[in-house]
Amino acid sequence: MSDLLLPLAIVVPILAATLPLLLGRRYDRIGWPIAAATAVSLVGIAAWIARTVFVVGAPTEYGIVHELGGWQRPYGIELVADELSAALVVLVALVAAGTLVLSRVIGPRGNAFYSGYLLLTGGLMGITLTGDLFNLFVFLEIVGLTTYALVAADRSGASAYASIKYLIVGTVGASLYLIGVGYTFLATGSLNMIDLQSAIAGVGYGDPLIRAGYAFIVVGLSLKIAVFPLHVWQPDAYQRAPDAVTAFIAALVSTSAAYALLRITYTVFTVEFLAANDAITNAMLLAAGVSILVGSALAAMQSDLKRLFAYSSVAQFGMIVAAIALANETALLGGIVHLLGHGLLKFGLFLAVALLAYGYGARRVADLASLARRAPYLSGAFVVLGLALVGIPPSVGLLGKWYIALGAVRAAGSGDPAGLGIAAVMLASTLFTLAYVARVIEQLYFAGADPGPGDAGSSASVADAPTQPNASTQSDAPAQPDGGHTGARDVPTGAFVVLVVVTLAAVGLGFAGFAAADLFEPFLGRMI
Amino acid sequence: MTDHLPIQLALDVLATRHAYAVFTVLLCIGLYMMIANPHLVKKIIGLNLFQTAIFLFFIASAYVHGGSIPIVESGGAPEATLVSPLPQVIVLTAIVVGVSLTAVGLALCVRIYTEYGTLRTDALREAMAEEDDLPAAGGDSPSAGGGSPSAGGGSPGGERA
């Protein structure tokens, strides 16, 4: 019974994606209700999958397995949900629902947007659940196509240019991935992930076709993940996309590509392949290390808030790729925790940026000056999420980084000097992260004079009296009745509540270190 | 002995593996077009070449000398060597994906052209740099005119700094 939920998690959003366009011919504002109903049912499906995997116990040793059309492994396509994919399915469902709350108020509106949104959700579900290499390519392209369309959804020329840049780079990435799959298929004659595991071992880990196949897959997925120097599309795409779209894709799209890399590395090629091919892991560690360092350094130089956090993603995904290449249990656990935690943190951060831009028109770091006075709760949540990204305890950001760094040091202890390099680079990156988060905090709380002396006379002194008590006594979410003359719009309550929940989760999950280790123990045991 | 001469080897590869040689050449041409050509539509053509090379690779790899179509009559045992149908199916799917990508890419090109009147990336970059300057310079006065004392007081100071 529970294995039927896996195809449902993919089919429901993809079928629902046709409805907004279809019914939109008759009803104008039908998109949001359809998307909301789908998102709610997806949260239910995800919760049930997670319950089956984590609480009840999965029916097979690989997790929940569903053979599409009843075709047996290795001929048919399988959907598989183990601990890792179940956790990711939950993240996708929750972030998708959260995005919907945000997009209801700040847009983009229109039925076409909701069709794209549902298609993207279905594609992300597909990436996390599929057990077939070529099927993964198809879902990668579904996600890619809808992301290109959504990035360009705000109808400006700049976003169309950012989108086409992303389209060309992303398609090359997916095509390189396809070449890698082709090489692997040539060497083994199989596309099923579980079947490939033994088939690749049979061909031999030193086989040039297998090696080349893995190399192509890594480079192709690195383009999608946006690892330095293949990240150039990402800051533009994040900056130019509509705010709600940025929050959605920053949390999930690169995350799902990184998940695919993790899945293919450990389920298909296995840790023995990594151990037998030092050159490949060293190249991955080098790229990851440079990515961590350069991403953080570039982030510290940005003045646009969305670009700043986009570059920060380059660094964080560098850490995840490093965790994959380090190939020990602690680092891999860190990689998984950081994959999930970073998705959550980036969703919260871009949500806060979206609300700051919507309510107060703040798009650059300099625009934040003294905003904490007018929006104390929003700024507070923003700062807590920023500090969680730095890794101040207790936070989910610390947890992931801690395990990765610990794994890196352990790798160094067992004779892999690259581990020390990764640990050092992560420390440097944390300092950079602190630098740019501190800059945001400084602007929010300490920069800019108090309203009054700096500004031209009368309007400021009139504004002074009503603004101060309002900002300090009331929640800025529904309040700000003086929005008329401060130029600020009401921050939508629903989206603000989502932000608070994400912030609390980011802090609360920081205490869940041992629980996470327990939760993913069976998965790690199978992989390493 | 003569087998090991490099030129002999190269000729050998060309004679027996020419499809793979074409795959490599097409792949490189496509990649070069995407990187070197400043015109967006030509970049998309390069992208199509790149993908076509991969289709060719799959089709060539599925070729079996003397192989027949993998249809087995009911009751009859297969006699000849059969060809795996999987690569063809993969290529069919990949073609569909490629067509939809081209469609999205060209739609974006149309939007860019109506907005900026050009499809050359160098001209676009200039146009966009100017556009970026305009809202920053012009964006100040509306927000100050809209009566936003503290935002108006904060942002100009920040931008001058």
Side-chain angles (χ1 to χ4, degrees):
Chain A
M1 152 62 207
S2 61
D3 70 304
L4 266 182
L5 286 174
L6 304 186
L8 275 184
I10 301 168
V11 168
V12 166
I14 289 184
L15 280 186
T18 58
L19 295 180
L21 284 180
L22 209 64
L23 299 177
R25 303 185 66 85
R26 205 183 162 93
Y27 310 99
D28 261 353
R29 306 179 61 89
I30 195 75
W32 197 85
I34 292 174
T38 316
V40 168
S41 56
L42 273 185
V43 170
I45 292 174
W48 193 265
I49 291 175
R51 180 182 166 274
T52 314
V53 171
F54 290 120
V55 183
V56 182
T60 74
E61 57 166 323
Y62 301 109
I64 312 174
V65 178
H66 177 84
E67 287 156 347
L68 284 176
W71 295 92
Q72 308 272 310
R73 183 186 314 147
Y75 303 110
I77 294 175
E78 281 182 326
L79 301 177
V80 184
D82 62 0
E83 289 84 1
L84 177 58
S85 22
L88 226 80
V89 164
V90 172
L91 180 75
V92 170
L94 290 180
V95 169
T99 306
L100 221 46
V101 177
L102 178 66
S103 74
R104 182 175 173 82
V105 187
I106 70 165
R109 294 188 176 76
N111 293 323
F113 165 73
Y114 288 107
S115 280
Y117 158 88
L118 286 169
L119 214 50
L120 179 53
T121 313
L124 290 166
M125 286 286 180
I127 290 183
T128 46
L129 290 175
T130 186
D132 184 278
L133 282 188
F134 184 71
N135 201 229
L136 180 62
F137 166 77
V138 174
F139 281 122
L140 270 177
E141 285 296 51
I142 290 179
V143 166
L145 271 169
T146 42
T147 313
Y148 313 143
L150 289 181
V151 166
D154 82 342
R155 312 211 157 272
S156 76
S159 71
Y161 185 60
S163 171
I164 201 164
K165 209 164 146 186
Y166 185 12
L167 182 142
I168 289 171
V169 175
T171 309
V172 171
S175 301
L176 291 177
Y177 170 79
L178 187 59
I179 296 179
V181 172
Y183 281 6
T184 316
F185 175 70
L186 272 193
T188 59
S190 178
L191 287 171
N192 183 292
M193 290 186 187
I194 295 169
D195 186 50
L196 272 171
Q197 202 173 353
S198 50
I200 288 177
V203 175
Y205 295 123
D207 187 80
L209 266 181
I210 299 283
R211 278 184 180 165
Y214 184 70
F216 271 112
I217 288 176
V218 169
V219 174
L221 289 178
S222 296
L223 273 162
K224 292 256 175 193
I225 301 173
V227 176
F228 184 87
L230 308 173
H231 68 283
V232 284
W233 58 268
Q234 196 219 32
D236 283 335
Y238 283 14
Q239 185 192 5
R240 305 293 186 185
D243 290 341
V245 173
T246 308
F248 195 34
I249 62 177
L252 295 180
V253 172
S254 289
T255 306
S256 66
Y259 159 82
L261 182 61
L262 206 168
R263 169 67 66 197
I264 289 172
T265 305
Y266 284 96
T267 303
V268 178
F269 285 86
T270 69
V271 69
E272 286 89 19
F273 173 81
L274 289 182
N277 291 287
D278 270 347
I280 293 180
T281 49
N282 284 340
M284 279 170 79
L285 283 174
L286 184 67
V290 175
S291 186
I292 296 170
L293 206 57
V294 176
S296 314
L298 286 173
M301 295 193 287
Q302 300 305 314
S303 59
D304 185 284
L305 279 172
K306 281 164 93 177
R307 273 187 102 78
L308 190 158
F309 288 114
Y311 277 111
S312 134
S313 280
V314 174
Q316 307 300 322
F317 279 111
M319 292 178 197
I320 294 168
V321 172
I324 294 173
L326 281 170
N328 66 40
E329 201 165 327
T330 322
L332 187 59
L333 174 65
I336 294 171
V337 172
H338 206 47
L339 188 66
L340 299 166
H342 172 262
L344 191 70
L345 285 177
K346 276 290 147 68
F347 178 63
L349 282 167
F350 279 107
L351 183 61
V353 169
L355 292 180
L356 284 170
Y358 176 81
Y360 306 95
R363 299 206 155 270
R364 311 168 131 261
V365 176
D367 297 342
L368 293 175
S370 293
L371 255 186
R373 200 169 283 139
R374 293 198 288 153
Y377 295 95
L378 186 54
S379 313
F382 188 36
V383 166
V384 169
L385 286 167
L387 290 176
L389 186 69
V390 179
I392 308 281
S395 70
V396 71
L398 168 82
L399 210 59
K401 280 191 190 180
W402 169 259
Y403 279 125
I404 296 174
L406 194 63
V409 173
R410 284 202 179 145
S414 58
D416 182 7
L420 269 189
I422 292 294
V425 164
M426 280 180 69
L427 180 67
S429 144
T430 304
L431 292 178
F432 274 120
T433 315
L434 186 60
Y436 58 71
V437 171
R439 202 152 57 96
V440 168
I441 297 176
E442 189 248 338
Q443 282 292 325
L444 275 172
Y445 287 94
F446 305 113
D450 9 40
D455 222 277
S458 60
S459 74
S461 54
V462 173
D464 216 15
T467 310
Q468 292 293 44
N470 266 326
S472 53
T473 56
Q474 290 184 17
S475 151
D476 58 307
Q480 294 288 357
D482 55 343
H485 74 144
T486 56
R489 282 187 281 188
D490 288 351
V491 171
T493 319
F496 182 72
V497 169
V498 172
L499 177 64
V500 171
V501 170
V502 171
T503 311
L504 291 179
V507 174
L509 287 175
F511 293 104
F514 294 110
D518 281 348
L519 219 54
F520 293 109
E521 176 60 49
F523 175 78
L524 296 170
R526 264 192 326 244
M527 294 301 139
I528 292 183
Chain B
M1 185 65 190
T2 47
D3 270 1
H4 298 292
L5 285 175
I7 186 112
Q8 192 76 33
L9 199 70
L11 281 177
D12 233 32
V13 167
L14 270 186
T16 57
R17 302 270 187 275
H18 46 274
Y20 295 105
V22 174
F23 154 66
T24 320
V25 170
L26 272 182
L27 203 70
C28 294
I29 294 175
L31 200 59
Y32 180 74
M33 253 177 107
M34 272 184 278
I35 296 169
N37 205 305
H39 197 279
L40 281 180
V41 173
K42 289 181 184 164
K43 274 183 197 290
I44 292 180
I45 295 173
L47 193 66
N48 282 334
L49 267 182
F50 191 79
Q51 290 181 315
T52 311
I54 298 170
F55 304 157
L56 179 67
F57 164 70
F58 270 93
I59 292 295
S61 72
Y63 176 74
V64 176
H65 192 70
S68 61
I69 49 168
I71 297 175
V72 182
E73 299 282 332
S74 70
E79 294 166 17
T81 35
L82 300 178
V83 176
S84 164
L86 200 51
Q88 277 90 338
V89 177
I90 287 177
V91 169
L92 270 182
T93 318
I95 287 174
V96 174
V97 170
V99 167
S100 25
L101 276 166
T102 312
V104 173
L106 291 177
L108 289 171
C109 283
V110 170
R111 166 111 58 93
I112 291 171
Y113 190 78
T114 48
E115 189 94 4
Y116 297 106
T118 177
L119 283 174
R120 292 181 60 90
T121 45
D122 39 1
L124 276 171
R125 225 169 277 138
E126 272 170 34
M128 240 169 284
E130 280 169 25
E131 196 186 49
D132 265 355
D133 288 345
L134 286 178
D140 244 10
S141 47
S143 84
S148 158
S150 49
S155 61
E159 274 172 25
R160 264 172 226 138

